[in-house]
Amino acid sequence: MTAGSQAALIAARALQGFATGLATASLGAAILDNDRSRGPILNSITAFCGLTAGSLGGAILVTYAPDPRQLVYVVLLALSAVEAFVLWFMPETAQMRAGAIASLQPHVNVPAQASQALVRVTPVTIASWALGGFYFSLMPALVRVATGVTLPVVGGLIVSALT
């Protein structure tokens, strides 16, 4: 919200992207832990629902709200605070272990029958998300050039339709 230069903004966006990736994985695990039957379906759509709402909401704020360069981040911060509040009251699903350090040590287990598939699909997954992010970042400018329409909400609508 307070970046004073392009470099600071890029660094902040990179940090936000990293944090979003970590949060997405953690929230996906929480969804699976709390609802084994509907968890896989919810995990398959929640990221795209968030992308759709975020791109459309951001475009609306940029087009119609006062001081959109600040307000977008204020809204994001407020939504993150609401999410943190909700997560505070979620039941713990992991087994408790003695010792503070031991409780923070991650344990990842991939079933043997899934490990080869995971290794094969990971590069494709990373590439598809990267390509999607690349297109989404360029889409509003492409819409402007192709149609001559300069309202940011139009680019946001196109990005939302793609998600």
Side-chain angles (χ1 to χ4, degrees):
M1 287 187 307
T2 61
S5 68
Q6 289 176 345
L9 181 61
I10 290 169
R13 288 289 290 129
L15 182 63
Q16 179 190 4
F18 183 71
T20 299
L22 288 175
T24 300
S26 299
L27 291 171
I31 289 170
L32 286 174
D33 286 348
N34 285 292
D35 193 341
R36 291 278 182 193
S37 62
R38 292 183 299 176
I41 297 293
L42 289 172
N43 274 334
S44 69
I45 63 170
T46 52
F48 297 105
C49 291
L51 284 169
T52 301
S55 59
L56 185 57
I60 289 169
L61 289 175
V62 166
T63 304
Y64 301 112
D67 198 17
R69 290 183 179 162
Q70 296 293 318
L71 188 58
V72 169
Y73 294 104
V74 171
V75 170
L76 182 61
L77 184 61
L79 290 173
S80 296
V82 168
E83 181 182 42
F85 180 78
V86 169
L87 288 174
W88 184 263
F89 293 101
M90 284 184 70
E92 179 57 66
T93 58
Q95 282 185 334
M96 301 295 255
R97 285 185 268 169
I101 300 300
S103 70
L104 296 175
Q105 191 172 25
H107 295 278
V108 178
N109 184 18
V110 177
Q113 63 270 26
S115 64
Q116 282 188 340
L118 182 65
V119 167
R120 284 194 302 255
V121 78
T122 297
V124 175
T125 303
I126 292 170
S128 63
W129 277 102
L131 183 63
F134 179 69
Y135 278 117
F136 289 165
S137 68
L138 292 178
M139 192 56 62
L142 290 173
V143 169
R144 247 188 332 269
V145 169
T147 66
V149 177
T150 60
L151 282 175
V153 73
V154 175
L157 283 168
I158 300 298
V159 169
S160 296
L162 289 173
T163 57

